[in-house]
Amino acid sequence: MTLFRHAKSSWDDTIPRDFDRPLNKRGEKAAVTMGKWVKENGLTFDHVVASPAVRVIDTIDQFVKGTGERIDATWDRRIYLASSATLMDVLRDQSDDYKDVLMVGHNPGMEDLVFDIVPDDGSSPLRDLVWEKYPTAAIARMELDIDSWADIDRKCGKLTHFIRPRDLDAELGPEDE
């Protein structure tokens, strides 16, 4: 399972609803960069479930430019600004026909989901990086010890990848550095 936080969005005051915020230029570049990394590292998914917020749709559109692969996402409004518990419910609802799901959504739910799924027992050293910050456009990939999506629960996974845009391009690091 892979979690992908949407890329950096615009805070233009003329956009009345948070749900409608698009990506800014930096976010577009980060999403393309992450797509290229996914392709270069052979990460694959057979299903994508995502928040229908504009910034998530834009993130996926730019990510596809990097991967060169078409993505037909299932839009699930429950993901928009969801808690970890709600995100787990969304995952439990996935068909067992899917072996590797990509979920695209928002913080703090995405980072909380990593903390809930990955035990704090030293088995996943990358967990400390998530603790520092799960920035926009970051990707967390986990191996889950489950037989069915319905079985997903706390402490059932191991974090195998945590990659941030700044790990791939220093210009995509925090703006205050």
Side-chain angles (χ1 to χ4, degrees):
M1 178 187 66
T2 305
L3 302 178
F4 184 21
R5 183 178 173 202
H6 69 78
K8 189 164 281 301
S9 59
S10 170
W11 286 94
D12 185 339
D13 289 339
T14 63
I15 299 165
R17 293 186 327 152
D18 176 75
F19 187 86
D20 297 325
R21 287 191 293 118
L23 295 187
N24 63 22
K25 293 295 180 197
R26 183 179 169 153
E28 290 174 356
K29 181 179 179 185
V32 171
T33 299
M34 297 308 284
K36 289 177 181 175
W37 180 85
V38 162
K39 181 176 182 164
E40 290 166 4
N41 287 276
L43 273 66
T44 59
F45 351 94
D46 54 6
H47 182 63
V48 177
V49 60
S51 161
V54 169
R55 60 190 176 274
V56 172
I57 295 168
D58 289 352
T59 296
I60 292 171
D61 288 346
Q62 296 303 313
F63 180 77
V64 163
K65 290 179 183 178
T67 64
E69 300 288 327
R70 184 174 160 203
I71 289 181
D72 292 319
T74 298
W75 308 106
D76 192 323
R77 193 167 183 98
R78 294 178 295 170
I79 298 171
Y80 176 66
L81 304 181
S83 67
S84 173
T86 299
L87 295 175
M88 268 199 223
D89 287 342
V90 171
L91 289 167
R92 286 182 188 117
D93 288 345
Q94 300 310 300
S95 168
D96 288 331
D97 292 340
Y98 306 126
K99 300 303 174 209
D100 202 339
V101 171
L102 170 66
M103 178 182 276
V104 189
H106 312 266
N107 249 4
M110 301 293 275
E111 124 181 352
D112 290 344
L113 184 59
V114 171
F115 296 140
D116 286 345
I117 289 177
V118 179
D120 188 13
D121 62 3
S123 65
S124 295
L126 294 172
R127 192 177 188 276
D128 290 342
L129 288 177
V130 178
W131 183 257
E132 287 175 25
K133 184 174 184 181
Y134 195 132
T136 53
I139 291 176
R141 184 148 172 116
M142 291 168 275
E143 292 175 357
L144 304 178
D145 187 18
I146 58 174
D147 294 321
S148 168
W149 288 107
D151 298 335
I152 197 166
D153 208 347
R154 297 176 61 83
K155 315 302 180 214
C156 71
K158 178 180 179 182
L159 186 61
T160 61
H161 297 81
F162 183 65
I163 191 78
R164 305 163 296 190
R166 69 175 163 207
D167 299 328
L168 306 174
D169 181 342
E171 291 181 9
L172 296 172
E175 293 174 288
D176 57 351
E177 287 184 356

